[in-house]
Amino acid sequence: KSNYLITDLKHPQIKNNIHKALTEGFTTFKVKLGDDLNDLLFLRKQIPDFVSLRVDFNSKLDLNRFKELIKKIKTHPNTLKY
């Protein structure tokens, strides 16, 4: 299967949606984020390590904020696969 798209991490059924996607065979999740690292870390905790995680910031970050966020992400091993 291709990418499973997550657009709302605050959705009340997010854990159920993730479980359903996994049972349907998705191994890559794409998530649309703002600049909150906690959202990304929450998602990483919900999915197994074998699942690749892709992020899309939707042009919400300027270059400096992007660099800051990448530095923070690097302090959390296995958060992003690519």
Side-chain angles (χ1 to χ4, degrees):
K1 293 238 175 186
S2 190
N3 298 327
Y4 180 78
L5 179 62
I6 298 173
T7 58
D8 183 5
L9 286 171
K10 307 288 192 247
H11 190 281
Q13 296 294 320
I14 188 65
K15 290 181 182 181
N16 290 338
N17 294 346
I18 290 169
H19 177 73
K20 182 179 177 190
L22 290 170
T23 60
E24 290 177 5
F26 285 93
T27 58
T28 301
F29 284 34
K30 181 179 177 184
V31 61
K32 296 195 179 268
L33 291 176
D35 66 349
D36 189 348
L37 181 59
N38 291 323
D39 287 343
L40 181 60
L41 296 176
F42 165 80
L43 179 60
R44 185 74 261 178
K45 289 178 184 176
Q46 304 305 313
I47 58 177
D49 286 341
F50 71 85
V51 174
S52 296
L53 185 56
R54 298 178 61 205
V55 295
D56 181 348
F57 296 105
N58 290 327
S59 302
K60 293 181 181 180
L61 305 177
D62 63 27
L63 182 58
N64 289 331
R65 182 65 184 131
F66 178 75
K67 288 179 181 179
E68 289 173 20
L69 194 59
I70 293 300
K71 284 181 187 177
K72 288 180 182 178
I73 289 171
K74 286 182 179 181
T75 65
H76 298 276
N78 299 321
T79 299
L80 295 177
K81 299 286 184 178
Y82 58 94

